[in-house]
Amino acid sequence: MQAHKVVVVGAGLMGHGIAQCAAQAGYQVRLWGMNRAELESALQKISSSVAKLHAKGKIADPVDAVLARIAHETELDQCTRADIYIETVVERLDIKHQVFRTLARVAPASALLASNTSTIPIGRIAAGIDSPQRCVGMHFTSPVPLMPVAEVIRAQATSDEAFERALAFVRSLGKEVIQVHKDVPGFVFNRINLPSNVEAIRLLEMGAASVVDIDKAMRLGFGRPMGPFETADMVGLDTGYNALSSLFAETGDEKFRPPLLLRRKVQAGELGRKTGRGWYLYNQAGERTGVAELPKE
Ligand SMILES: NC(=O)c1ccc[n+]([C@@H]2O[C@H](COP(=O)([O-])OP(=O)(O)OC[C@H]3O[C@@H](n4cnc5c(N)ncnc54)[C@H](O)[C@@H]3O)[C@@H](O)[C@H]2O)c1
């Protein structure tokens, strides 16, 4: 079945990026956000990203044409009649669960229900709804419009048809797909990536090397485009912390235990680029201006 209409639930970093990619690919998108201010900020970011991509010749459609395909909404109950729903709310099982229960009620019975969770098994998010066969994981990475890949995860109850539809949708956005056939917490990306982020913070806690040098080590030594602290500032320290907490809770594995230093930074509201201070400091224009001092204890 050809999908035309997509609902994206959550208008934060991932939600607006996924909405943008779907609209660029020609889908009619409805973006749900908690309030008007969040939606306005999301549309502003989409507009500026599309303008840059269009100016560089990476996408054919200008801003107006892409924005014309994105409607916005603050009432989830109104998000009916779509083919694909993609949930991108905060990394908390209780909240995702609640969103999925609402979607199962308001979405057509034939719709695909996807979660962009970083770490939580899809079967847990879909638990308790009466149609778990149509639920999949669809895990994009940030910044969504620039990253060329996403992982698609099948839970035990996911039907072959739902899995195939999810694969086809991600490919229709021009992205490569990593197929994940087991609903393990953290899937492939974060199962591998998060322990290295934990280790980077532990090295910092030990005083073994600086933020700048650890980032440089991973960029120049391993060819990564960004180091772990630069990436964490873009992703959001709170989002990284929630992902680790959830992975640690799901697995009990010490390698995923969130470091105390990360918790302190999140408690202090040092969340990365979005607050102007994370591992690095940023000015109003979003340019990096220095390295943030570490909390005293
Ligand atoms: N940031 C990344 O790089 C990244 C990458 C891959 C996956 N993810 C995952 O995507 C999801 C969203 O991450 P993000 O970076 O976009 O976060 P974000 O903080 O930018 O956005 C979170 C969204 O959740 C909504 N929200 C907050 N509390 C809510 C509630 N009680 N009920 C309903 N909605 C609520 C917010 O309004 C916002 O729309 C998380 O599951 C995260 O783990 C994030």
Side-chain angles (χ1 to χ4, degrees):
M1 189 204 316
Q2 185 73 36
H4 299 291
K5 292 187 180 162
V6 176
V7 166
V8 178
V9 183
L13 182 67
M14 298 307 288
H16 85 256
I18 295 168
Q20 176 182 332
C21 289
Q24 283 172 189
Y27 291 96
Q28 292 297 328
V29 179
R30 185 166 287 267
L31 179 61
W32 174 90
M34 292 263 278
N35 50 52
R36 293 256 149 247
E38 179 177 271
L39 286 167
E40 271 164 29
S41 159
L43 292 171
Q44 186 57 46
K45 286 176 189 146
I46 292 173
S47 167
S48 110
S49 169
V50 172
K52 280 187 207 148
L53 291 171
H54 180 66
K56 287 183 187 162
K58 304 249 176 188
I59 56 170
D61 284 342
V63 174
D64 289 355
V66 175
L67 285 184
R69 292 196 279 271
I70 305 179
H72 45 88
E73 183 58 72
T74 54
E75 297 295 328
L76 200 49
D77 277 358
Q78 298 300 316
C79 294
T80 55
R81 287 184 294 173
D83 306 298
I84 297 185
Y85 290 72
I86 307 170
E87 167 278 309
T88 73
V89 301
V90 279
E91 190 77 345
R92 275 191 33 200
L93 178 60
D94 56 337
I95 297 176
K96 289 187 185 289
H97 204 183
Q98 197 182 333
V99 168
F100 261 62
R101 273 195 305 232
T102 305
L103 294 183
R105 184 166 49 77
V106 303
S110 58
L112 185 70
L113 307 183
S115 172
N116 183 55
T117 175
S118 304
T119 55
I120 306 171
I122 307 308
R124 306 254 282 138
I125 296 172
I129 75 165
D130 59 9
S131 48
Q133 70 281 359
R134 58 176 168 150
C135 299
V136 291
M138 202 183 273
H139 182 211
F140 294 87
T141 58
S142 158
V144 186
L146 303 183
M147 297 302 276
V149 69
E151 48 186 4
V152 172
I153 302 110
R154 71 181 307 158
Q156 209 174 355
T158 306
S159 68
D160 290 345
E161 194 226 343
F163 192 61
E164 290 300 326
R165 280 176 76 191
L167 296 177
F169 174 73
V170 172
R171 289 186 182 122
S172 75
L173 303 185
K175 301 201 187 291
E176 292 284 335
V177 183
I178 308 299
Q179 299 186 28
V180 185
H181 296 285
K182 195 137 202 189
D183 196 15
V184 291
F187 319 121
V188 171
F189 289 159
N190 281 323
R191 205 72 190 204
I192 297 172
N193 188 42
L194 286 183
S196 82
N197 292 352
V198 169
E199 209 50 43
I201 298 170
R202 292 204 177 125
L203 285 167
L204 189 64
E205 283 175 332
M206 288 174 211
S210 68
V211 164
V212 171
D213 274 2
I214 294 170
D215 273 345
K216 204 191 285 176
M218 298 312 286
R219 264 192 282 105
L220 303 185
F222 290 90
R224 287 192 181 195
M226 293 166 84
F229 295 108
E230 293 164 325
T231 308
D233 275 2
M234 178 190 65
V235 166
L237 272 64
D238 51 342
T239 301
Y241 178 77
N242 287 341
L244 270 176
S245 302
S246 129
L247 202 43
F248 181 57
E250 290 286 341
T251 62
D253 192 328
E254 277 301 315
K255 68 174 180 264
F256 300 120
R257 184 189 284 279
L260 186 60
L261 177 56
L262 177 61
R263 191 163 82 207
R264 290 273 177 274
K265 300 275 286 179
V266 172
Q267 284 167 339
E270 299 181 16
L271 306 183
R273 284 185 169 275
K274 62 186 165 188
T275 58
R277 186 185 180 100
W279 299 107
Y280 293 94
L281 303 170
Y282 303 87
N283 64 17
Q284 293 272 330
E287 295 152 342
R288 197 194 293 173
T289 54
V291 179
E293 214 177 296
L294 296 178
K296 291 285 176 260
E297 54 172 280

